[in-house]
Amino acid sequence: MSRLLRLLPRADSSDGMSTDSGLLAIRDRVMDAFVDRLLADQAEYEDKLDYFEINFNQALAKDRMDASSQVWIEQNRSTPLENEDEDISEEVERAIEHYDPYDPEELDKKDYRLLLDEAIDALPPLQKQIIEMLRLETPIVSSDPSILTISKALGKVDKTIRNQRDRAFATLRRRLERKEGL
């Protein structure tokens, strides 16, 4: 354990200040995983420990990389998007006010459906996910905690989902109007 602790981030830095919570989370994950392997080995032979016997430093470095990517994902999962808190401009609000890309009359036209699918595929990933979930009639939010919502699935607040939905609708409208005019 002392060898493990020497190779992991310290609990506090040299100036006496505490380190980043992310580093401590990485340290805890790596230590927990290693202790779990040792405990599992006591109960029954654990072949994952063989690599630690052969190349301890490299095995620990791999565990640190795995833990750091997991911690980074968790910490950045709810990071707000740029300009997320800004209200949508009035121009965008007016543009999408009466626009429904899923208008049944338009969807009956084969060309429109193809254009719509192409336009959705060209959206940024978050907007595309939101639009696809709306197509599946997934609600943005729900008072029932057992219902899967877009906010829960994507780990974003409902305001972000609505802002991204509105931006996606505005983009779809522009692209479809441009393509239909050709």
Side-chain angles (χ1 to χ4, degrees):
M1 286 304 286
S2 63
R3 186 174 179 192
L4 178 74
L5 290 173
R6 280 194 311 257
L7 296 171
L8 292 174
R10 301 181 65 86
D12 55 10
S13 61
S14 59
D15 61 357
M17 304 294 289
S18 63
T19 57
D20 179 26
S21 63
L23 290 176
L24 295 178
I26 293 168
R27 175 190 176 103
D28 291 343
R29 279 183 193 252
V30 172
M31 285 180 56
D32 289 346
F34 187 73
V35 169
D36 288 346
R37 285 187 190 115
L38 288 176
L39 293 173
D41 189 55
Q42 283 182 337
E44 187 177 316
Y45 174 72
E46 178 67 35
D47 62 345
K48 292 180 181 178
L49 283 176
D50 291 346
Y51 190 65
F52 278 88
E53 291 178 20
I54 297 169
N55 195 346
F56 186 83
N57 291 351
Q58 189 171 4
L60 191 59
K62 183 183 177 322
D63 281 356
R64 274 186 71 176
M65 286 189 59
D66 291 344
S68 66
S69 65
Q70 292 169 355
V71 168
W72 186 88
I73 288 170
E74 288 172 5
Q75 288 182 339
N76 293 304
R77 186 170 282 156
S78 61
T79 301
L81 298 173
E82 290 182 26
N83 304 321
E84 174 181 323
D85 296 329
E86 293 179 14
D87 290 330
I88 295 178
S89 69
E90 290 179 31
E91 177 185 338
V92 173
E93 290 285 347
R94 284 192 306 272
I96 63 168
E97 189 172 307
H98 300 289
Y99 179 67
D100 180 13
Y102 303 115
D103 180 12
E105 292 177 17
E106 291 293 327
L107 285 174
D108 287 339
K109 301 175 185 173
K110 182 180 179 184
D111 293 337
Y112 179 81
R113 287 193 310 267
L114 292 173
L115 293 174
L116 177 62
D117 288 339
E118 287 176 12
I120 289 172
D121 287 342
L123 289 172
L126 179 62
Q127 292 178 8
K128 182 179 176 183
Q129 288 175 321
I130 292 168
I131 296 300
E132 292 296 339
M133 292 179 86
L134 287 171
R135 278 179 126 172
L136 298 171
E137 298 180 4
T138 306
I140 294 175
V141 292
S142 174
S143 58
D144 184 358
S146 65
I147 293 178
L148 176 67
T149 64
I150 297 174
S151 294
K152 286 182 199 172
L154 299 179
K156 304 287 183 190
V157 295
D158 60 319
K159 182 178 178 182
T160 301
I161 300 298
R162 286 187 175 89
N163 285 343
Q164 291 299 314
R165 174 204 59 198
D166 294 346
R167 288 181 182 142
F169 280 175
T171 302
L172 291 174
R173 180 176 185 204
R174 281 193 312 274
R175 287 183 181 159
L176 292 172
E177 285 176 346
R178 195 173 351 155
K179 287 185 179 184
E180 284 180 342
L182 295 176

